[in-house]
Amino acid sequence: MLLRRLPRGPAPPGRLRPRPPSAVRSVVTSVPLSYGEERGRADRAPLVLLHGLFGSRANLHAVAKALVRGGSGTVRGALSWAARGGGAAAAVTVPLARQVLTLDARNHGSSPHSPLMTYEVMSLDVQHLLTRLGITKCILLGHSMGGKTAMTLALQRPDLVERLISVDIAPTSTAPVSEFSAYISAMKSVKIPDGLPRSAARQLADHQLCSVVQHPQLRQFLLTNLVEVEGHYVWRVNLDAISQHLVDIMNFPVFHKPYPGPALFLGGSDSPYIRSQDYLEIQRLFPKADVQYIAGAGHIVHQDKFGEFITAVLNFLTQP
């Protein structure tokens, strides 16, 4: 694993600037998020896991269980290695065993649908869930879209966030909107006859998607959203709302006051989502941030390199 410290100096040419937030609506309401829980010690700030676009809390279930099981043990510490300037990695005892929550974002999983989908309202959803559960301080870990939601919440309400982990995403503009628009159009065009067994329905949908969504792994990920409701196959994600807010989702709101707590930006070395030109914006908004890359991992870091991912998270969580 490589550790890259944030550089100082003028911003490099061509860096994408954050897009201004969406126009303010007169009424903004939260939705009651669906969530799961892995029980741990109640005297520590719980860890809240936020999934990415087209995902659900099920994507992070294995991560939640592994982090809770990591209540004590020995891992190899990339941060300890970096702090020593190189050399053999040091063994670190990890006393984690805290409560871990996995959340479904609005318009995803089992959470309610809403026509509005910006990072401001997704942050509000999480804030209201924390209030409902009586949580006054938490640790946020978010992947991709979930990472941007976590960053937004930390910047809006730093008093609620003990520390932050953003997985393979920066507080800047990301992938082209057109790519995801094509995926949504392809998903909307899928036609599945009623009464088909689930395996046959998924196979048929996979065939209909393959001309647009060419990567098999990505198709299988999208197909986790195909569900049967009263004999009809439907997409459980709100494709209309996602389509209407793709520009918001691919960008990031403007913030001027930084988050003062510890932050980790954990990327995959084979992914383009945390770039060197993003470092100055990360440093501006998260002055205590470290940026690490897990070798050989793509965008879904926790799937590609599960063990290394868990180790990096545990090390960060046990830092003073």
Side-chain angles (χ1 to χ4, degrees):
M1 183 185 295
L2 302 177
L3 174 67
R4 298 187 182 180
R5 295 289 180 183
L6 298 176
R8 299 186 181 274
R15 183 173 65 82
L16 293 172
R17 295 288 178 181
R19 180 180 176 274
S22 303
V24 176
R25 278 78 174 179
S26 56
V27 178
V28 176
T29 58
S30 67
V31 302
L33 299 181
S34 174
Y35 70 96
E37 177 185 0
E38 292 293 331
R39 293 191 177 275
R41 285 176 51 175
D43 60 336
R44 298 181 178 181
L47 176 62
V48 179
L49 308 185
L50 308 175
H51 64 79
L53 184 62
F54 298 117
S56 73
R57 59 189 173 91
N59 302 143
L60 295 168
H61 182 65
V63 170
K65 292 187 84 65
L67 291 173
V68 169
R69 282 199 307 267
S72 63
T74 299
V75 296
R76 295 288 171 176
L79 293 178
S80 297
W81 181 90
R84 289 165 172 76
V92 180
T93 300
V94 182
L96 182 62
R98 68 180 74 231
Q99 179 190 31
V100 181
L101 301 175
T102 53
L103 277 52
D104 280 334
R106 64 168 57 202
N107 298 317
H108 290 72
S110 300
S111 287
H113 286 190
S114 167
L116 187 58
M117 193 169 176
T118 65
Y119 288 114
E120 293 89 345
V121 297
M122 287 190 279
S123 167
L124 188 65
D125 292 340
V126 179
Q127 291 178 47
H128 283 195
L129 177 64
L130 295 177
T131 299
R132 180 154 58 97
L133 297 177
I135 296 171
T136 57
K137 184 81 74 172
C138 71
I139 297 171
L140 292 176
L141 182 156
H143 172 246
S144 198
M145 180 187 78
K148 287 189 172 183
T149 301
M151 286 185 272
T152 299
L153 199 162
L155 290 162
Q156 288 178 328
R157 292 289 308 275
D159 57 300
L160 291 177
V161 183
E162 183 176 291
R163 57 183 61 207
L164 167 75
I165 304 172
S166 179
V167 182
D168 209 54
I169 205 71
T172 58
S173 298
T174 50
V177 170
S178 58
E179 177 183 346
F180 287 90
S181 292
Y183 297 160
I184 292 171
S185 295
M187 292 170 75
K188 285 183 173 181
S189 68
V190 167
K191 294 184 177 12
I192 306 293
D194 294 345
L196 275 186
R198 178 171 171 77
S199 59
R202 284 177 61 102
Q203 187 175 8
L204 180 58
D206 181 73
H207 177 72
Q208 293 179 37
L209 289 174
C210 67
S211 62
V212 176
V213 187
Q214 297 178 358
H215 297 287
Q217 185 180 19
L218 177 56
R219 288 201 305 276
Q220 292 306 307
F221 175 68
L222 296 177
L223 287 170
T224 61
N225 292 291
L226 186 67
V227 296
E228 187 177 7
V229 179
E230 297 180 352
H232 305 284
Y233 283 96
V234 298
W235 298 105
R236 67 178 176 179
V237 285
N238 187 344
L239 294 176
D240 289 334
I242 293 171
S243 179
Q244 289 296 317
H245 288 279
L246 268 180
V247 172
D248 295 300
I249 295 167
M250 295 302 144
N251 284 281
F252 190 72
V254 172
F255 290 97
H256 300 290
K257 187 175 180 179
Y259 167 69
L264 172 64
F265 286 77
L266 185 59
S269 67
D270 298 342
S271 171
Y273 280 90
I274 301 178
R275 306 156 300 172
S276 59
Q277 56 261 46
D278 298 326
Y279 290 174
L280 266 292
E281 188 64 7
I282 292 173
Q283 186 181 55
R284 183 181 74 83
L285 292 175
F286 303 94
K288 292 185 179 178
D290 283 330
V291 177
Q292 296 181 38
Y293 295 87
I294 294 181
H299 182 53
I300 309 179
V301 185
H302 49 284
Q303 178 177 301
D304 295 344
K305 295 290 182 178
F306 185 83
E308 292 90 334
F309 175 83
I310 296 298
T311 295
V313 171
L314 287 172
N315 278 323
F316 177 69
L317 293 181
T318 54
Q319 283 183 344

